Amino acid sequence: MTLTVNEFEHAYKEEVLQLFAESWQEATVDQQFAALASLVKRLSATDWSATKQATVKHATKQVYYFSIEFLPGRMLATNLLNLGILPTVESAFKDMHLNLKRVLGIEVDPGLGNGGLGRLASSFLDAMASIGIDGNGNGLRYQTGLFKQDFLNGYQVELPDDWLRNGYVWETRKIERAVVVRFGGQVSLMPGANGSLAAQYRATENVLAVPYDIPQIGYQNGHVNTMRLWQAEPPTMGQPLTAEQREEISAITQSLYPDDSTEAGRRLRLRQEYFLVSAGLQSIVRHYRRTHQDFSQFAASVAVHINDTHPAMAIPELMRLLLDEGHLDWERAWSITVQVMSYTNHTLLQEALETWSIDLFAPLLPRIYQIIQEIDRRFRDQYRAQYGDDFVNAIAPLGNNTVRMAYLAVLGSHAVNGVAALHTQLLEESVLNGWYQLVPERFSNQTNGITLRRWVQLANRPLAKLLDKTIGTHWRQEPLAIEAISQFGDQPKFLAKLNAAKLKNKRALAAYIKRTRGISVDPTAIFDVQIKRLHAYKRQLLHLLRIIDQYQQLKAGLDIGPKHVHIFAAKAAPGYYYAKEIIKVINAVADLINHDTQVNRQLQVVFLPNYSVSLAERIIAGADVSEQISLAGKEASGTSNMKLMATGALTLATMDGANIEIYHAVGADNIMTFGLTSDQVQQHQRDYDYSARDLFDRDARVHRIVSALIDGTIPGIEVEGRDIYQSLLQYNDEYFVLADLEAYLHAGAALDAIYQEPERWAQMVVANLAASGRFSSDLTVAGYARDIWHVTPMTGGRPHAI
Ligand code: NBG
């Protein structure tokens, strides 16, 4: 979009006036934000409407990305960038003596997700728009997000994340597109009806699903897609409801991941999941029906992606719509459903593979349950003769009185994928092995990606500018073009500039740490960063043990190499007691070290609360070391690993998830890896030959480090220190922390030694930057488009040649 600085200024001032009846000079920062965002929405409206009309006119295939989580982060800067007016707005704000950075910084992060899964979903929406696919998000409009994290005496406290309090500027309520989602009640099969198995369903509860649409602006290509979020509301017609019934309805979109430790909590989650898929699919079918008489073109017109198992009920729900409302027979309906659906698995962890008890499921969703039973029965009939009862029972969707959502998702989809090469391989060999034997052609790998525009162009301006000056701006359009930077790996002048750009980012991060935590850190120290959800398998504990080791070395008068600042950010699930204990211990160690004048000039520890997309934007640009130290085989992919390597940090990693692909992309010399491989871990698990206690008894250093958890070295952690100590020694260290400790200490020290040679360090960074283009989610999504959704990215006017 072309817009002069003057035109923009005029439009902006007018917007402030219209919205607030204030002159632009009087507007508060909040008003400046609201006016600018509203103007951006206005500027994108024509393209948004045109994109929607074009999809109807050309009947292009629509992709719908169903996800229980999204993490869009702040949208204003991204939208300005994608519209192509960021430089214009920057100049105008300068002209008007207004502070754009401050304005951008007050936007709230939508509380619609909790981790990598949600961020990936949002990065895919950005990519779909940017490569010109008609790809829409389908999610829930939670009133409150996961929680706001703070620390009290080192403990995590969870405050409500009331992100919608002041409204959300990007959304538009679309009451005219509302649908009704039904729960409870009874089903009667319609007899005869040409074997269609259609049913009449009388529900006991009707819930109004009201969509809120948010534009997803493509990168400088005029393509604007829609993220549609559903809100549950009492219906406007029918019997009056009691206050309690109304509350039950609003609860459906009240909060993300309600506590599922109680029956009531589990029931609520199930209601959420069905609400998400039913509202989404009803609206898809209605949209399709506007231009089609029958369902013969449905599979050619629609792709529905099931992001993890939460939306797996999309399969029986589409069957219901095709059977009961479309009056198709079963075979036809099933064939369409399988062609439409595809499923991504995001974890091998047992606790995250959803199952629903039939006692809960059947009364709440009687028709869906009936359809799942029929899917199950037909599956058994089809394979029993060939494979025998045991095999079929083992992999059927209904097992042990539960519905197994991952199995349902594989059975009802034409494509199933994991999110990194190792993860897909492990899926095929273990969790979904039965299915892999049965339908190997459905499986593929699609390694995750990231929105490089957000992490490099927006969150790392000093680096972006340096890249522009060195290789031109082509990399901004074409992610792989960044490879050109590798030619500069031997130019000392450039390497010095690269280090200077990093230092600038570290200064900004240090200032943020000072402002928010009151801790002064030295920007010339090595900034060693671990940012991700807190989970035992991600092994923040391993990192902590290294810090304890460094502390002990310093106390003993030894040298630990360069000055070190360890930076953590991580939320622990509210019910995950062990993860919260780790947080407490990290904070206690931080307290001890930061206040000990004997060590704190060499070593500091900072735990930044409330990890979020916007906090990640601050931390990542300022990182030197990227800690990716999960137990091999446990991290499906990881995406912070990609963000950090793409913005100039070096990776200290186990061979897990996408770390392996980073390793191959940058070459063994430009990454520091250590520890057990996934095969070795499995071998130990099979042979039962790992003894953490032996290691502890045998190795004096390990003994010394681990003992610090219980010997009073760290004040204030009597309970937590003991629990963690016991998890290692009494419960034999389920995540092989001690098994990898020695190797980790060595690898960390080796990386520290390189840090003492700034030029060599910068050379390694260059190799990482040069290889980062392949982790663009534009490319990942192009892979999904080609292999799974069978849609063609638009080429005309599109920035990326894919
Ligand atoms: C997470 C994995 C990460 C992966 C993201 C995105 C879930 C269930 N899984 O390794 O743990 O990067 O998904 O694929 O959140």
Side-chain angles (χ1 to χ4, degrees), residues 116-117 120 308 346-347 419 448 537 635-639:
L117 176 83
L120 188 79
D308 227 26
H346 291 267
T347 185
V419 291
N448 283 167
Y537 83 80
E635 187 71 270
S637 162
T639 43

Side-chain angles (χ1 to χ4, degrees), residues 32 71 103 180 202 295 382 397 406 493 564 593 600 617 674 690 761:
Q32 292 170 27
L71 278 177
V103 172
V180 174
R202 278 172 176 285
F295 284 95
Q382 185 182 348
K493 258 201 189 143
H564 228 108
I593 290 175
N600 67 10
E617 287 167 14
F674 69 92
Y690 172 55
W761 183 275

Side-chain angles (χ1 to χ4, degrees), residues 244-280:
E244 202 180 318
Q245 286 169 323
R246 298 176 78 87
E247 199 146 299
E248 271 226 325
I249 287 177
S250 327
I252 295 175
T253 48
Q254 178 57 45
S255 65
L256 168 71
Y257 296 136
D259 175 12
D260 65 351
S261 61
T262 64
E263 178 82 4
R266 282 192 291 278
R267 186 163 174 276
L268 179 54
R269 276 204 198 189
L270 188 59
R271 279 160 69 81
Q272 286 190 324
E273 294 185 0
Y274 182 65
F275 180 77
L276 168 75
V277 300
S278 180

Side-chain angles (χ1 to χ4, degrees), residues 65 69 114-121 124 257 307-308 310 344-349 352 418-420 423 446 448-449 533 537-538 634-642 656-658 784:
Y65 199 85
E69 288 186 41
N114 100 83
L117 176 83
R119 180 55 217 156
L120 188 79
F124 279 13
Y257 296 136
N307 191 34
D308 227 26
H310 319 102
T344 298
N345 173 290
H346 291 267
T347 185
L348 300 162
L349 298 185
V419 291
H423 172 232
Q446 305 292 339
N448 283 167
R533 285 302 295 266
Y537 83 80
K538 294 180 189 275
K634 293 284 183 198
E635 187 71 270
S637 162
T639 43
S640 77
N641 46 6
M642 300 171 187
D656 198 16
Y784 277 81

Side-chain angles (χ1 to χ4, degrees), residues 46-115:
T46 309
D47 284 346
W48 196 6
S49 154
T51 306
K52 285 190 265 193
Q53 280 170 25
T55 64
V56 174
K57 189 160 161 227
H58 306 301
T60 42
K61 186 167 183 181
Q62 301 289 299
V63 178
Y64 297 94
Y65 199 85
F66 279 35
S67 183
I68 201 90
E69 288 186 41
F70 286 94
L71 278 177
R74 292 175 177 153
M75 290 309 292
L76 182 51
T78 288
N79 286 343
L80 292 172
L81 177 76
N82 288 7
L83 279 177
I85 59 170
L86 183 57
T88 311
V89 173
E90 279 168 347
S91 304
F93 267 62
K94 216 179 260 166
D95 252 21
M96 296 184 283
H97 300 288
L98 299 176
N99 185 340
L100 182 61
K101 221 170 141 188
R102 243 178 101 201
V103 172
L104 299 176
I106 63 153
E107 183 173 355
V108 289
D109 280 34
L112 300 170
N114 100 83

